Amino acid sequence: MHLKIPWTLSVKSRLALVLTLLFTAAIAFVTAAQLREIRTSMAEVLSAQQVTLLTRVADEVDEKFRARAAALGSVAAHLGLAMAQGPAQAQAALELRESLPTMFDSVLMISMQGQIVVSVPLRPELAHVNVAQRAYFKDTVSSEKGVISAPYLTLSEGKPVVMMTAPIFGQDGRMIGILGGSLSLLKSNFLGNIGTTRVGRSGYFYVVTRGAHPLLVSHPDQKKVMTPAAPASKNSSSALAQGGFEGSMEGTNSTGLRALMGFKQLKETEWIVAAVLPTDEAFGSIAATQEHMVVLATLIAALISVVTWSFVYWLLVPLAAVLEYVRAKKMNGAIVERIPVRRWDEIGELTHEFNNLMAAEEVAKQALAANEERLLTITDNVPVLIGYVDRDQRYQFNNRTYEEWFGVAQKAFLGKTMLEVLGHEEYSAIRNDIGEALQGYITSRERELKLRGHGRYVRATFIPDYGPESQVRGCYILAYDVTEQKSIEKKLAFLAQHDTLTELPNRAAFNERLVLAIARTRRTGKVFAVMYLDIDKFKLVNDTHGHGIGDQLLSAFATRLTDSVRSTDVVARLGGDEFVILVEDLAVASLAAVIAAKIIEAMRTPFIFEELQIVASTSIGVAVSTSEPTDQSGPELLQEADAALYQAKQGGRNSYRIAGAETLA
């Protein structure tokens, strides 16, 4: 028995079939096109967010590395004497530096043989640990500079850490040890916290080293810390980052996870900060909408096929009316109003579902607008200047921070050029940076910006914005206020060159001035004098009245000493009650004796602290340079002055002695 297939269809049947196919295709095309556009726009927004977030995280990590390096260097500059005196004195001196333990998980002092001699907090078991074979130890010793180590496992516990170092120099200027601060990669510090910070609900950050054999430094799965990163064959995005790529891209990682992956290179160390946001989360709402649209379109197609096949004639008139209505709306612009349902039959259902489809589109647009609003909320509430200018350098976007910095309404910047906003002077300072960014280069620079009568130190970064054909459409502007950081840096620089009690130059600063004085004398032939002095019986003052009065006496003595010499002379404190004075441009060598006598006379007046009166004399040793000091060095002159001071002490104190007085006479 053969089934006879009717190949010839009636006009109504063919019309019903064609209408069904066309309607289904139209729904699929419109839905697919608009979902694709929404996904592309969302991907651009998410990528820009990810790059901004990564830049901020990387800058914060770099800044914390710099702050810790500066703190280590500052403390190390004051530990030389204590380390030379022995482990007990070094332990006590390091424990007084209360700021370091808040920055590091462990602070160590290491001898030149690699032996750990001091630990804060105190860990006696480390006294038997030798780190001479560690790369950070060798690098610090060879360069005599601080380093940031590659991640490694500790000898005592086998835990992954990173070590930051600073050299410790003795009084003779030679390196005598290393001050180190360790940061655990598993604890809750600024490195460990990177791996535990979430990107969205299921995304995460991680940190990986850069080089031939990259290692994971921070990761949400702590078991992966210190393990090799995935090879390039399994993660092409990471391979690009190892080659210097910075930015965001969509790709597949080594576990097969499809995600938006962003990368930012750190400046202070050979590491990369990366962010991973699964595409299932990033585009989850679009995927769900797409599935619903496919199901809905399929159901509509099936319904139309069955219903129109039976009732095409009766449905033809209202269907034509709907078709004309859609065409009219399409010609007049976007479909906004709902199509009126003439009757609740199959055509009416089709009209109703079409209205729902358009409503779903509107919901998707509103969701996109909500995402944009959230992004604006974030940018308006971060303490960072965020803006965008086009190729004509006209502002197309700026966050609320502009209003706070410039005192001008936020919307007033839109359409204005950078020259109009900043003024000629400030714009001239950044013109080259903007020009480089518009040529495709990322530029970053620190400078002082004067706004509303106040100065700010700003770190500004200009990031080019590339179009779909790799043309530069404009650039993003990110500016951070680093005024407070600069103030701290100046304070640390001052402390590195000055005594904290008297605020006089310290030994290092004095030695630098002494070298310059010798050079000037060789050039001009004018002699200078070095005076080495201390407070007679200062220990008795400390023992009798306490160290508080002793410190007050040192400060008052330093002030009176400074007032007794010229403003061009250098007064420095070497330590304890020992002071030195550099007196230049002496017409004759005998003037050194006149100055020394003047100082001794100035100290005869008692020092008064509230109701307490202290008589404190001084003894002075003087060394005078020759007019051609070709064989004299700074340490030799200090040694001569120290020897003369000893003679003054032996002669009964409260006096001065001049080294080689017979020769000078």
mmCIF file with all atom_site columns, all heavy atoms in Angstrom, residues 501 538 541-542 544-556 607-614:
data_model
loop_
_atom_site.group_PDB
_atom_site.id
_atom_site.type_symbol
_atom_site.label_atom_id
_atom_site.label_alt_id
_atom_site.label_comp_id
_atom_site.label_asym_id
_atom_site.label_entity_id
_atom_site.label_seq_id
_atom_site.pdbx_PDB_ins_code
_atom_site.Cartn_x
_atom_site.Cartn_y
_atom_site.Cartn_z
_atom_site.occupancy
_atom_site.B_iso_or_equiv
_atom_site.pdbx_formal_charge
_atom_site.auth_seq_id
_atom_site.auth_comp_id
_atom_site.auth_asym_id
_atom_site.auth_atom_id
_atom_site.pdbx_PDB_model_num
ATOM 1   N N   . LEU A 1 501 ? 65.450 63.266 67.551 1.00 0.00 ? 501 LEU A N   1
ATOM 2   C CA  . LEU A 1 501 ? 65.269 64.021 68.795 1.00 0.00 ? 501 LEU A CA  1
ATOM 3   C C   . LEU A 1 501 ? 65.544 65.508 68.580 1.00 0.00 ? 501 LEU A C   1
ATOM 4   O O   . LEU A 1 501 ? 64.734 66.362 68.931 1.00 0.00 ? 501 LEU A O   1
ATOM 5   C CB  . LEU A 1 501 ? 66.189 63.455 69.894 1.00 0.00 ? 501 LEU A CB  1
ATOM 6   C CG  . LEU A 1 501 ? 66.165 64.208 71.230 1.00 0.00 ? 501 LEU A CG  1
ATOM 7   C CD1 . LEU A 1 501 ? 64.773 64.141 71.844 1.00 0.00 ? 501 LEU A CD1 1
ATOM 8   C CD2 . LEU A 1 501 ? 67.220 63.636 72.183 1.00 0.00 ? 501 LEU A CD2 1
ATOM 9   N N   . PHE A 1 538 ? 77.444 63.743 80.972 1.00 0.00 ? 538 PHE A N   1
ATOM 10  C CA  . PHE A 1 538 ? 76.045 63.591 80.563 1.00 0.00 ? 538 PHE A CA  1
ATOM 11  C C   . PHE A 1 538 ? 75.411 62.351 81.188 1.00 0.00 ? 538 PHE A C   1
ATOM 12  O O   . PHE A 1 538 ? 74.231 62.337 81.522 1.00 0.00 ? 538 PHE A O   1
ATOM 13  C CB  . PHE A 1 538 ? 75.951 63.515 79.031 1.00 0.00 ? 538 PHE A CB  1
ATOM 14  C CG  . PHE A 1 538 ? 74.553 63.304 78.524 1.00 0.00 ? 538 PHE A CG  1
ATOM 15  C CD1 . PHE A 1 538 ? 73.616 64.326 78.604 1.00 0.00 ? 538 PHE A CD1 1
ATOM 16  C CD2 . PHE A 1 538 ? 74.174 62.077 77.987 1.00 0.00 ? 538 PHE A CD2 1
ATOM 17  C CE1 . PHE A 1 538 ? 72.316 64.127 78.141 1.00 0.00 ? 538 PHE A CE1 1
ATOM 18  C CE2 . PHE A 1 538 ? 72.884 61.882 77.541 1.00 0.00 ? 538 PHE A CE2 1
ATOM 19  C CZ  . PHE A 1 538 ? 71.966 62.910 77.607 1.00 0.00 ? 538 PHE A CZ  1
ATOM 20  N N   . VAL A 1 541 ? 73.797 63.113 84.421 1.00 0.00 ? 541 VAL A N   1
ATOM 21  C CA  . VAL A 1 541 ? 72.489 63.771 84.296 1.00 0.00 ? 541 VAL A CA  1
ATOM 22  C C   . VAL A 1 541 ? 71.394 62.727 84.073 1.00 0.00 ? 541 VAL A C   1
ATOM 23  O O   . VAL A 1 541 ? 70.331 62.756 84.697 1.00 0.00 ? 541 VAL A O   1
ATOM 24  C CB  . VAL A 1 541 ? 72.510 64.784 83.133 1.00 0.00 ? 541 VAL A CB  1
ATOM 25  C CG1 . VAL A 1 541 ? 71.110 65.372 82.910 1.00 0.00 ? 541 VAL A CG1 1
ATOM 26  C CG2 . VAL A 1 541 ? 73.502 65.896 83.423 1.00 0.00 ? 541 VAL A CG2 1
ATOM 27  N N   . ASN A 1 542 ? 71.667 61.776 83.178 1.00 0.00 ? 542 ASN A N   1
ATOM 28  C CA  . ASN A 1 542 ? 70.674 60.727 82.916 1.00 0.00 ? 542 ASN A CA  1
ATOM 29  C C   . ASN A 1 542 ? 70.403 59.906 84.165 1.00 0.00 ? 542 ASN A C   1
ATOM 30  O O   . ASN A 1 542 ? 69.256 59.587 84.493 1.00 0.00 ? 542 ASN A O   1
ATOM 31  C CB  . ASN A 1 542 ? 71.163 59.806 81.798 1.00 0.00 ? 542 ASN A CB  1
ATOM 32  C CG  . ASN A 1 542 ? 70.653 60.245 80.448 1.00 0.00 ? 542 ASN A CG  1
ATOM 33  O OD1 . ASN A 1 542 ? 69.684 60.996 80.352 1.00 0.00 ? 542 ASN A OD1 1
ATOM 34  N ND2 . ASN A 1 542 ? 71.296 59.795 79.387 1.00 0.00 ? 542 ASN A ND2 1
ATOM 35  N N   . THR A 1 544 ? 70.847 60.738 87.270 1.00 0.00 ? 544 THR A N   1
ATOM 36  C CA  . THR A 1 544 ? 70.290 61.511 88.385 1.00 0.00 ? 544 THR A CA  1
ATOM 37  C C   . THR A 1 544 ? 68.853 61.949 88.108 1.00 0.00 ? 544 THR A C   1
ATOM 38  O O   . THR A 1 544 ? 67.974 61.830 88.967 1.00 0.00 ? 544 THR A O   1
ATOM 39  C CB  . THR A 1 544 ? 71.166 62.752 88.645 1.00 0.00 ? 544 THR A CB  1
ATOM 40  O OG1 . THR A 1 544 ? 72.509 62.323 88.902 1.00 0.00 ? 544 THR A OG1 1
ATOM 41  C CG2 . THR A 1 544 ? 70.632 63.534 89.850 1.00 0.00 ? 544 THR A CG2 1
ATOM 42  N N   . HIS A 1 545 ? 68.598 62.440 86.891 1.00 0.00 ? 545 HIS A N   1
ATOM 43  C CA  . HIS A 1 545 ? 67.298 63.052 86.605 1.00 0.00 ? 545 HIS A CA  1
ATOM 44  C C   . HIS A 1 545 ? 66.432 62.239 85.643 1.00 0.00 ? 545 HIS A C   1
ATOM 45  O O   . HIS A 1 545 ? 65.283 62.603 85.408 1.00 0.00 ? 545 HIS A O   1
ATOM 46  C CB  . HIS A 1 545 ? 67.509 64.450 86.005 1.00 0.00 ? 545 HIS A CB  1
ATOM 47  C CG  . HIS A 1 545 ? 68.314 65.368 86.890 1.00 0.00 ? 545 HIS A CG  1
ATOM 48  N ND1 . HIS A 1 545 ? 67.822 65.884 88.079 1.00 0.00 ? 545 HIS A ND1 1
ATOM 49  C CD2 . HIS A 1 545 ? 69.594 65.826 86.761 1.00 0.00 ? 545 HIS A CD2 1
ATOM 50  C CE1 . HIS A 1 545 ? 68.757 66.638 88.644 1.00 0.00 ? 545 HIS A CE1 1
ATOM 51  N NE2 . HIS A 1 545 ? 69.848 66.620 87.868 1.00 0.00 ? 545 HIS A NE2 1
ATOM 52  N N   . GLY A 1 546 ? 66.972 61.181 85.100 1.00 0.00 ? 546 GLY A N   1
ATOM 53  C CA  . GLY A 1 546 ? 66.183 60.360 84.187 1.00 0.00 ? 546 GLY A CA  1
ATOM 54  C C   . GLY A 1 546 ? 66.421 60.728 82.730 1.00 0.00 ? 546 GLY A C   1
ATOM 55  O O   . GLY A 1 546 ? 66.911 61.805 82.397 1.00 0.00 ? 546 GLY A O   1
ATOM 56  N N   . HIS A 1 547 ? 66.045 59.796 81.855 1.00 0.00 ? 547 HIS A N   1
ATOM 57  C CA  . HIS A 1 547 ? 66.289 59.991 80.423 1.00 0.00 ? 547 HIS A CA  1
ATOM 58  C C   . HIS A 1 547 ? 65.405 61.090 79.835 1.00 0.00 ? 547 HIS A C   1
ATOM 59  O O   . HIS A 1 547 ? 65.756 61.681 78.809 1.00 0.00 ? 547 HIS A O   1
ATOM 60  C CB  . HIS A 1 547 ? 66.040 58.676 79.668 1.00 0.00 ? 547 HIS A CB  1
ATOM 61  C CG  . HIS A 1 547 ? 67.096 57.635 79.942 1.00 0.00 ? 547 HIS A CG  1
ATOM 62  N ND1 . HIS A 1 547 ? 68.325 57.642 79.336 1.00 0.00 ? 547 HIS A ND1 1
ATOM 63  C CD2 . HIS A 1 547 ? 67.091 56.576 80.798 1.00 0.00 ? 547 HIS A CD2 1
ATOM 64  C CE1 . HIS A 1 547 ? 69.050 56.624 79.779 1.00 0.00 ? 547 HIS A CE1 1
ATOM 65  N NE2 . HIS A 1 547 ? 68.309 55.942 80.669 1.00 0.00 ? 547 HIS A NE2 1
ATOM 66  N N   . GLY A 1 548 ? 64.242 61.355 80.458 1.00 0.00 ? 548 GLY A N   1
ATOM 67  C CA  . GLY A 1 548 ? 63.395 62.435 79.942 1.00 0.00 ? 548 GLY A CA  1
ATOM 68  C C   . GLY A 1 548 ? 64.102 63.775 80.020 1.00 0.00 ? 548 GLY A C   1
ATOM 69  O O   . GLY A 1 548 ? 64.117 64.548 79.059 1.00 0.00 ? 548 GLY A O   1
ATOM 70  N N   . ILE A 1 549 ? 64.709 64.067 81.200 1.00 0.00 ? 549 ILE A N   1
ATOM 71  C CA  . ILE A 1 549 ? 65.473 65.315 81.347 1.00 0.00 ? 549 ILE A CA  1
ATOM 72  C C   . ILE A 1 549 ? 66.706 65.274 80.447 1.00 0.00 ? 549 ILE A C   1
ATOM 73  O O   . ILE A 1 549 ? 67.111 66.296 79.864 1.00 0.00 ? 549 ILE A O   1
ATOM 74  C CB  . ILE A 1 549 ? 65.871 65.517 82.818 1.00 0.00 ? 549 ILE A CB  1
ATOM 75  C CG1 . ILE A 1 549 ? 64.608 65.742 83.662 1.00 0.00 ? 549 ILE A CG1 1
ATOM 76  C CG2 . ILE A 1 549 ? 66.823 66.699 82.984 1.00 0.00 ? 549 ILE A CG2 1
ATOM 77  C CD1 . ILE A 1 549 ? 63.818 66.977 83.298 1.00 0.00 ? 549 ILE A CD1 1
ATOM 78  N N   . GLY A 1 550 ? 67.297 64.051 80.319 1.00 0.00 ? 550 GLY A N   1
ATOM 79  C CA  . GLY A 1 550 ? 68.466 63.931 79.439 1.00 0.00 ? 550 GLY A CA  1
ATOM 80  C C   . GLY A 1 550 ? 68.128 64.307 78.005 1.00 0.00 ? 550 GLY A C   1
ATOM 81  O O   . GLY A 1 550 ? 68.886 65.012 77.340 1.00 0.00 ? 550 GLY A O   1
ATOM 82  N N   . ASP A 1 551 ? 66.956 63.847 77.526 1.00 0.00 ? 551 ASP A N   1
ATOM 83  C CA  . ASP A 1 551 ? 66.541 64.196 76.164 1.00 0.00 ? 551 ASP A CA  1
ATOM 84  C C   . ASP A 1 551 ? 66.290 65.695 76.032 1.00 0.00 ? 551 ASP A C   1
ATOM 85  O O   . ASP A 1 551 ? 66.619 66.318 75.018 1.00 0.00 ? 551 ASP A O   1
ATOM 86  C CB  . ASP A 1 551 ? 65.284 63.415 75.783 1.00 0.00 ? 551 ASP A CB  1
ATOM 87  C CG  . ASP A 1 551 ? 65.567 61.941 75.546 1.00 0.00 ? 551 ASP A CG  1
ATOM 88  O OD1 . ASP A 1 551 ? 66.761 61.596 75.421 1.00 0.00 ? 551 ASP A OD1 1
ATOM 89  O OD2 . ASP A 1 551 ? 64.613 61.149 75.502 1.00 0.00 ? 551 ASP A OD2 1
ATOM 90  N N   . GLN A 1 552 ? 65.668 66.297 77.056 1.00 0.00 ? 552 GLN A N   1
ATOM 91  C CA  . GLN A 1 552 ? 65.444 67.747 77.016 1.00 0.00 ? 552 GLN A CA  1
ATOM 92  C C   . GLN A 1 552 ? 66.767 68.506 76.981 1.00 0.00 ? 552 GLN A C   1
ATOM 93  O O   . GLN A 1 552 ? 66.912 69.517 76.284 1.00 0.00 ? 552 GLN A O   1
ATOM 94  C CB  . GLN A 1 552 ? 64.623 68.184 78.228 1.00 0.00 ? 552 GLN A CB  1
ATOM 95  C CG  . GLN A 1 552 ? 63.180 67.676 78.224 1.00 0.00 ? 552 GLN A CG  1
ATOM 96  C CD  . GLN A 1 552 ? 62.386 68.222 79.388 1.00 0.00 ? 552 GLN A CD  1
ATOM 97  O OE1 . GLN A 1 552 ? 62.394 69.440 79.638 1.00 0.00 ? 552 GLN A OE1 1
ATOM 98  N NE2 . GLN A 1 552 ? 61.712 67.339 80.121 1.00 0.00 ? 552 GLN A NE2 1
ATOM 99  N N   . LEU A 1 553 ? 67.750 68.007 77.754 1.00 0.00 ? 553 LEU A N   1
ATOM 100 C CA  . LEU A 1 553 ? 69.066 68.654 77.761 1.00 0.00 ? 553 LEU A CA  1
ATOM 101 C C   . LEU A 1 553 ? 69.716 68.553 76.386 1.00 0.00 ? 553 LEU A C   1
ATOM 102 O O   . LEU A 1 553 ? 70.309 69.511 75.890 1.00 0.00 ? 553 LEU A O   1
ATOM 103 C CB  . LEU A 1 553 ? 69.955 68.012 78.835 1.00 0.00 ? 553 LEU A CB  1
ATOM 104 C CG  . LEU A 1 553 ? 71.398 68.558 78.907 1.00 0.00 ? 553 LEU A CG  1
ATOM 105 C CD1 . LEU A 1 553 ? 71.399 70.068 79.170 1.00 0.00 ? 553 LEU A CD1 1
ATOM 106 C CD2 . LEU A 1 553 ? 72.199 67.810 79.980 1.00 0.00 ? 553 LEU A CD2 1
ATOM 107 N N   . LEU A 1 554 ? 69.599 67.361 75.735 1.00 0.00 ? 554 LEU A N   1
ATOM 108 C CA  . LEU A 1 554 ? 70.185 67.200 74.402 1.00 0.00 ? 554 LEU A CA  1
ATOM 109 C C   . LEU A 1 554 ? 69.551 68.180 73.412 1.00 0.00 ? 554 LEU A C   1
ATOM 110 O O   . LEU A 1 554 ? 70.248 68.797 72.597 1.00 0.00 ? 554 LEU A O   1
ATOM 111 C CB  . LEU A 1 554 ? 69.984 65.762 73.920 1.00 0.00 ? 554 LEU A CB  1
ATOM 112 C CG  . LEU A 1 554 ? 70.846 64.689 74.599 1.00 0.00 ? 554 LEU A CG  1
ATOM 113 C CD1 . LEU A 1 554 ? 70.404 63.306 74.168 1.00 0.00 ? 554 LEU A CD1 1
ATOM 114 C CD2 . LEU A 1 554 ? 72.327 64.894 74.265 1.00 0.00 ? 554 LEU A CD2 1
ATOM 115 N N   . SER A 1 555 ? 68.219 68.321 73.479 1.00 0.00 ? 555 SER A N   1
ATOM 116 C CA  . SER A 1 555 ? 67.542 69.237 72.553 1.00 0.00 ? 555 SER A CA  1
ATOM 117 C C   . SER A 1 555 ? 67.948 70.679 72.814 1.00 0.00 ? 555 SER A C   1
ATOM 118 O O   . SER A 1 555 ? 68.233 71.447 71.884 1.00 0.00 ? 555 SER A O   1
ATOM 119 C CB  . SER A 1 555 ? 66.022 69.088 72.702 1.00 0.00 ? 555 SER A CB  1
ATOM 120 O OG  . SER A 1 555 ? 65.612 67.794 72.327 1.00 0.00 ? 555 SER A OG  1
ATOM 121 N N   . ALA A 1 556 ? 67.987 71.086 74.104 1.00 0.00 ? 556 ALA A N   1
ATOM 122 C CA  . ALA A 1 556 ? 68.377 72.458 74.434 1.00 0.00 ? 556 ALA A CA  1
ATOM 123 C C   . ALA A 1 556 ? 69.839 72.718 74.073 1.00 0.00 ? 556 ALA A C   1
ATOM 124 O O   . ALA A 1 556 ? 70.199 73.803 73.588 1.00 0.00 ? 556 ALA A O   1
ATOM 125 C CB  . ALA A 1 556 ? 68.137 72.713 75.919 1.00 0.00 ? 556 ALA A CB  1
ATOM 126 N N   . PHE A 1 607 ? 71.140 75.428 82.117 1.00 0.00 ? 607 PHE A N   1
ATOM 127 C CA  . PHE A 1 607 ? 69.937 75.034 81.396 1.00 0.00 ? 607 PHE A CA  1
ATOM 128 C C   . PHE A 1 607 ? 68.804 74.888 82.410 1.00 0.00 ? 607 PHE A C   1
ATOM 129 O O   . PHE A 1 607 ? 68.962 74.212 83.427 1.00 0.00 ? 607 PHE A O   1
ATOM 130 C CB  . PHE A 1 607 ? 70.146 73.704 80.653 1.00 0.00 ? 607 PHE A CB  1
ATOM 131 C CG  . PHE A 1 607 ? 71.140 73.797 79.538 1.00 0.00 ? 607 PHE A CG  1
ATOM 132 C CD1 . PHE A 1 607 ? 72.508 73.589 79.766 1.00 0.00 ? 607 PHE A CD1 1
ATOM 133 C CD2 . PHE A 1 607 ? 70.727 74.095 78.244 1.00 0.00 ? 607 PHE A CD2 1
ATOM 134 C CE1 . PHE A 1 607 ? 73.419 73.664 78.745 1.00 0.00 ? 607 PHE A CE1 1
ATOM 135 C CE2 . PHE A 1 607 ? 71.637 74.169 77.216 1.00 0.00 ? 607 PHE A CE2 1
ATOM 136 C CZ  . PHE A 1 607 ? 72.987 73.958 77.459 1.00 0.00 ? 607 PHE A CZ  1
ATOM 137 N N   . ILE A 1 608 ? 67.651 75.494 82.111 1.00 0.00 ? 608 ILE A N   1
ATOM 138 C CA  . ILE A 1 608 ? 66.538 75.499 83.065 1.00 0.00 ? 608 ILE A CA  1
ATOM 139 C C   . ILE A 1 608 ? 65.363 74.756 82.445 1.00 0.00 ? 608 ILE A C   1
ATOM 140 O O   . ILE A 1 608 ? 64.919 75.074 81.341 1.00 0.00 ? 608 ILE A O   1
ATOM 141 C CB  . ILE A 1 608 ? 66.121 76.936 83.427 1.00 0.00 ? 608 ILE A CB  1
ATOM 142 C CG1 . ILE A 1 608 ? 67.297 77.678 84.083 1.00 0.00 ? 608 ILE A CG1 1
ATOM 143 C CG2 . ILE A 1 608 ? 64.903 76.925 84.359 1.00 0.00 ? 608 ILE A CG2 1
ATOM 144 C CD1 . ILE A 1 608 ? 67.021 79.136 84.374 1.00 0.00 ? 608 ILE A CD1 1
ATOM 145 N N   . PHE A 1 609 ? 64.892 73.730 83.170 1.00 0.00 ? 609 PHE A N   1
ATOM 146 C CA  . PHE A 1 609 ? 63.733 72.949 82.755 1.00 0.00 ? 609 PHE A CA  1
ATOM 147 C C   . PHE A 1 609 ? 62.702 73.021 83.883 1.00 0.00 ? 609 PHE A C   1
ATOM 148 O O   . PHE A 1 609 ? 62.821 72.303 84.884 1.00 0.00 ? 609 PHE A O   1
ATOM 149 C CB  . PHE A 1 609 ? 64.117 71.501 82.463 1.00 0.00 ? 609 PHE A CB  1
ATOM 150 C CG  . PHE A 1 609 ? 65.260 71.375 81.494 1.00 0.00 ? 609 PHE A CG  1
ATOM 151 C CD1 . PHE A 1 609 ? 66.529 70.980 81.916 1.00 0.00 ? 609 PHE A CD1 1
ATOM 152 C CD2 . PHE A 1 609 ? 65.080 71.687 80.144 1.00 0.00 ? 609 PHE A CD2 1
ATOM 153 C CE1 . PHE A 1 609 ? 67.569 70.867 81.032 1.00 0.00 ? 609 PHE A CE1 1
ATOM 154 C CE2 . PHE A 1 609 ? 66.118 71.573 79.256 1.00 0.00 ? 609 PHE A CE2 1
ATOM 155 C CZ  . PHE A 1 609 ? 67.373 71.170 79.688 1.00 0.00 ? 609 PHE A CZ  1
ATOM 156 N N   . GLU A 1 610 ? 61.715 73.939 83.712 1.00 0.00 ? 610 GLU A N   1
ATOM 157 C CA  . GLU A 1 610 ? 60.721 74.224 84.760 1.00 0.00 ? 610 GLU A CA  1
ATOM 158 C C   . GLU A 1 610 ? 61.468 74.666 86.030 1.00 0.00 ? 610 GLU A C   1
ATOM 159 O O   . GLU A 1 610 ? 62.139 75.686 86.033 1.00 0.00 ? 610 GLU A O   1
ATOM 160 C CB  . GLU A 1 610 ? 59.826 73.011 84.992 1.00 0.00 ? 610 GLU A CB  1
ATOM 161 C CG  . GLU A 1 610 ? 58.970 72.681 83.766 1.00 0.00 ? 610 GLU A CG  1
ATOM 162 C CD  . GLU A 1 610 ? 58.054 71.514 83.989 1.00 0.00 ? 610 GLU A CD  1
ATOM 163 O OE1 . GLU A 1 610 ? 58.148 70.871 85.065 1.00 0.00 ? 610 GLU A OE1 1
ATOM 164 O OE2 . GLU A 1 610 ? 57.217 71.233 83.088 1.00 0.00 ? 610 GLU A OE2 1
ATOM 165 N N   . GLU A 1 611 ? 61.397 73.884 87.110 1.00 0.00 ? 611 GLU A N   1
ATOM 166 C CA  . GLU A 1 611 ? 62.054 74.287 88.359 1.00 0.00 ? 611 GLU A CA  1
ATOM 167 C C   . GLU A 1 611 ? 63.447 73.679 88.494 1.00 0.00 ? 611 GLU A C   1
ATOM 168 O O   . GLU A 1 611 ? 64.122 73.885 89.503 1.00 0.00 ? 611 GLU A O   1
ATOM 169 C CB  . GLU A 1 611 ? 61.192 73.858 89.543 1.00 0.00 ? 611 GLU A CB  1
ATOM 170 C CG  . GLU A 1 611 ? 59.822 74.539 89.559 1.00 0.00 ? 611 GLU A CG  1
ATOM 171 C CD  . GLU A 1 611 ? 58.991 74.098 90.749 1.00 0.00 ? 611 GLU A CD  1
ATOM 172 O OE1 . GLU A 1 611 ? 59.488 73.231 91.498 1.00 0.00 ? 611 GLU A OE1 1
ATOM 173 O OE2 . GLU A 1 611 ? 57.879 74.623 90.924 1.00 0.00 ? 611 GLU A OE2 1
ATOM 174 N N   . LEU A 1 612 ? 63.879 72.917 87.489 1.00 0.00 ? 612 LEU A N   1
ATOM 175 C CA  . LEU A 1 612 ? 65.179 72.239 87.552 1.00 0.00 ? 612 LEU A CA  1
ATOM 176 C C   . LEU A 1 612 ? 66.217 73.048 86.778 1.00 0.00 ? 612 LEU A C   1
ATOM 177 O O   . LEU A 1 612 ? 65.983 73.476 85.648 1.00 0.00 ? 612 LEU A O   1
ATOM 178 C CB  . LEU A 1 612 ? 65.061 70.831 86.949 1.00 0.00 ? 612 LEU A CB  1
ATOM 179 C CG  . LEU A 1 612 ? 66.341 70.002 86.933 1.00 0.00 ? 612 LEU A CG  1
ATOM 180 C CD1 . LEU A 1 612 ? 66.834 69.726 88.362 1.00 0.00 ? 612 LEU A CD1 1
ATOM 181 C CD2 . LEU A 1 612 ? 66.095 68.689 86.196 1.00 0.00 ? 612 LEU A CD2 1
ATOM 182 N N   . GLN A 1 613 ? 67.383 73.246 87.412 1.00 0.00 ? 613 GLN A N   1
ATOM 183 C CA  . GLN A 1 613 ? 68.492 73.983 86.783 1.00 0.00 ? 613 GLN A CA  1
ATOM 184 C C   . GLN A 1 613 ? 69.680 73.043 86.673 1.00 0.00 ? 613 GLN A C   1
ATOM 185 O O   . GLN A 1 613 ? 70.104 72.432 87.652 1.00 0.00 ? 613 GLN A O   1
ATOM 186 C CB  . GLN A 1 613 ? 68.850 75.211 87.625 1.00 0.00 ? 613 GLN A CB  1
ATOM 187 C CG  . GLN A 1 613 ? 70.022 76.031 87.054 1.00 0.00 ? 613 GLN A CG  1
ATOM 188 C CD  . GLN A 1 613 ? 70.237 77.327 87.818 1.00 0.00 ? 613 GLN A CD  1
ATOM 189 O OE1 . GLN A 1 613 ? 69.392 78.186 87.864 1.00 0.00 ? 613 GLN A OE1 1
ATOM 190 N NE2 . GLN A 1 613 ? 71.389 77.437 88.447 1.00 0.00 ? 613 GLN A NE2 1
ATOM 191 N N   . ILE A 1 614 ? 70.205 72.927 85.465 1.00 0.00 ? 614 ILE A N   1
ATOM 192 C CA  . ILE A 1 614 ? 71.323 72.013 85.206 1.00 0.00 ? 614 ILE A CA  1
ATOM 193 C C   . ILE A 1 614 ? 72.467 72.806 84.588 1.00 0.00 ? 614 ILE A C   1
ATOM 194 O O   . ILE A 1 614 ? 72.275 73.542 83.610 1.00 0.00 ? 614 ILE A O   1
ATOM 195 C CB  . ILE A 1 614 ? 70.909 70.863 84.272 1.00 0.00 ? 614 ILE A CB  1
ATOM 196 C CG1 . ILE A 1 614 ? 69.837 70.011 84.943 1.00 0.00 ? 614 ILE A CG1 1
ATOM 197 C CG2 . ILE A 1 614 ? 72.112 70.011 83.900 1.00 0.00 ? 614 ILE A CG2 1
ATOM 198 C CD1 . ILE A 1 614 ? 69.330 68.888 84.054 1.00 0.00 ? 614 ILE A CD1 1
#
